[in-house]
Amino acid sequence: MVPRGAGERPATGGSSFHEMWRDLAPIGRSSDSGGYRRFAWTGADGDCRSWFRSQAEQRGLTYEVDRNGNQWAWLGDPAAGDAVVTGSHLDSVPDGGAFDGPLGVVSSFAALDELRARGAAPTRPLAVVNFGDEEGARFGLACVGSRLTAGQLTPQAARELRDADGVSLPQAMERAGYDPDAIGADPERLARIGAFVELHVEQGRALAGTPHAVGVASAIWPHGRWRFDFRGEANHAGTTRIEDRRDPMLTYANTVLAARKKAHLAGALATFGKVAVEPNGVNAIASLVRGWLDSRAADEETLAAVVAEIERAANERGARDGVEVTVTRESFTPVVEFAHGLRDELAKLLGGVPVLPTGAGHDAGILSAAVPTAMLFVRNPTGVSHSPAETATEDDCVAGVAALADVLEGLACR
């Protein structure tokens, strides 16, 4: 098979991509920030789900929702086995960009359109999937839909998840019209899948400045989330002497700086991106500061060492400030080496495009323990992600559709 050029538009996939992108773009978009607020089991998420179902039905695909709320659109018999599945997610981080997740779903439908335009005849079932709650913006845990499906999140643990308003995951699902009593591992579904290929906007700039619009993922760095609780003593900001204060904000601030330093020295990444303060008053010394650390590294040993150093720095500063520090690991994903055979086959089908690692977690990484998985990245000229500034050019998006169609044709139409 001869791969299509980066600027060459497929006969049908390109036009359908633009139509779908236009229809999906307004859903959940904030008029204030220009970013997206498509949080799991909210109205915006429901509108995205309705859009997905409509796209499936327009194409005559078999539509279904699995026990964990993930959406599927099938071309061929879902029960036949050895299926080639593609897709991603439609939810977002707070004020996220348009491309993270939706690019993969829209491109998947467009790639099926392109296969039909080519007259390709699949010999294996094909499916597009929208995994629920990938970003974890509402309940604080990423990849909930795929984790439940793969058995990496127990139903009991999932039922204990709550959002900032105290709404539990089961309550949110039920309010959205789904059955929370059904959630859990789905090995029968996974056994039907022969390969899963996820297309995603690149979250970095490895492809920028190269002639390649598309790359293939080699691995996902190990990563996790840790909650740091800094407990001090609430008091009056205007009457409490500096030497009498037990201010957890000081310990928190020092820990943020320590995280940057420790990660930099180790060649890793560490970010405190979320914080909650009690009592959260302008004229009050806080009694509790709760910060969430996201940390990633090229290997698990380095990641563990960096987090341990950050925790040590927090405790040392806490002892000076009279602040108690506790650390809870809320999630952890080990290093993911994508199936080498599938990865190499994708690179060959696409004519030797770059193969590159990523520090971002994905549903493909969660499923990799049970299913051969691979990823395609579409060039991001700025490297910005999880922001309204996230982007990809029109030509590169269309090239991504063509590349995904080439991959699906090579895997499922032999």
Side-chain angles (χ1 to χ4, degrees):
M1 181 188 308
V2 179
R4 295 170 182 264
E8 183 180 348
R9 297 191 180 189
T12 300
S15 60
S16 66
F17 176 92
H18 295 300
E19 293 169 3
M20 287 185 285
W21 196 257
R22 178 197 63 211
D23 293 343
L24 184 62
I27 299 176
R29 189 172 190 179
S30 166
S31 58
D32 296 329
S33 69
Y36 288 86
R37 299 173 183 176
R38 298 165 172 164
F39 306 144
W41 311 114
T42 63
D45 184 54
D47 290 343
C48 287
R49 289 171 172 273
S50 295
W51 174 90
F52 183 97
R53 180 169 185 169
S54 175
Q55 297 303 320
E57 292 174 346
Q58 288 175 31
R59 290 165 172 78
L61 305 176
T62 301
Y63 171 80
E64 63 175 342
V65 180
D66 67 23
R67 62 190 301 176
N68 297 304
N70 305 310
Q71 295 178 291
W72 300 77
W74 290 90
L75 176 63
D77 182 5
D82 199 29
V84 177
V85 178
T86 186
S88 191
H89 63 95
L90 294 174
D91 66 313
S92 76
V93 298
D95 289 322
F99 293 82
D100 185 349
L103 180 63
V105 177
V106 173
S107 296
S108 295
F109 281 121
L112 291 189
D113 294 341
E114 171 61 10
L115 288 183
R116 286 172 163 170
R118 295 178 186 181
T123 56
R124 302 166 67 180
L126 284 164
V128 178
V129 61
N130 168 35
F131 283 108
D133 199 6
E134 193 272 353
E135 294 290 8
R138 183 173 181 185
F139 297 101
L141 179 64
C143 299
V144 170
S146 56
R147 285 183 192 274
L148 281 168
T149 300
Q152 296 182 24
L153 175 64
T154 67
Q156 179 180 355
R159 293 184 180 109
E160 293 173 358
L161 295 174
R162 280 171 171 70
D163 68 11
D165 296 320
V167 177
S168 69
L169 175 64
Q171 289 172 327
M173 290 184 69
E174 192 167 25
R175 291 174 186 177
Y178 295 84
D179 180 11
D181 293 333
I183 62 173
D186 201 347
E188 292 182 2
R189 179 172 298 274
L190 293 179
R192 302 178 194 166
I193 302 173
F196 175 62
V197 180
E198 181 174 3
L199 179 145
H200 203 279
V201 67
E202 184 189 6
Q203 295 170 295
R205 299 188 69 251
L207 294 174
T210 77
H212 301 283
V214 179
V216 174
S218 59
I220 297 177
W221 280 14
H223 55 278
R225 296 181 181 184
W226 289 261
R227 191 187 76 235
F228 282 62
D229 292 339
F230 304 89
R231 298 184 184 278
E233 181 179 59
N235 217 324
H236 196 295
T239 62
T240 310
R241 297 188 310 165
I242 292 294
E243 55 267 31
D244 292 337
R245 299 184 179 203
R246 295 175 52 218
D247 188 350
M249 190 65 76
L250 295 177
T251 314
Y252 166 71
N254 186 81
T255 304
V256 172
L257 297 174
R260 168 61 185 258
K261 179 179 180 180
K262 304 301 184 184
H264 180 71
L265 290 174
L269 299 169
T271 307
F272 277 96
K274 179 181 177 181
V275 61
V277 182
E278 296 178 11
N280 204 28
V282 175
N283 61 346
I285 299 168
S287 61
L288 170 67
V289 176
R290 180 167 284 153
W292 281 264
L293 170 70
D294 177 299
S295 191
R296 305 160 192 250
D299 59 80
E300 294 176 30
E301 183 178 352
T302 301
L303 177 59
V306 167
V307 174
E309 285 292 314
I310 297 170
E311 184 174 355
R312 184 178 298 110
N315 281 306
E316 289 176 354
R317 179 68 194 210
R320 290 170 53 190
D321 296 333
V323 171
E324 178 188 352
V325 180
T326 58
V327 180
T328 304
R329 190 177 81 177
E330 293 192 337
S331 68
F332 178 76
T333 302
V335 63
V336 173
E337 284 281 347
F338 288 113
H340 289 193
L342 181 60
R343 179 194 68 193
D344 295 344
E345 186 170 4
L346 263 62
K348 182 178 179 181
L349 286 168
L350 298 179
V353 298
V355 178
L356 54 145
T358 178
H362 300 280
D363 293 309
I366 299 298
L367 298 184
S368 65
V371 173
T373 61
M375 291 192 71
L376 300 179
F377 291 129
V378 173
R379 181 167 50 194
N380 180 342
T382 67
V384 174
S385 185
H386 284 187
S387 159
E390 175 183 276
T391 190
T393 68
E394 181 178 314
D395 283 346
D396 285 357
C397 289
V398 173
V401 172
L404 182 57
D406 288 343
V407 166
L408 298 182
E409 184 174 7
L411 295 177
C413 301
R414 298 182 289 194

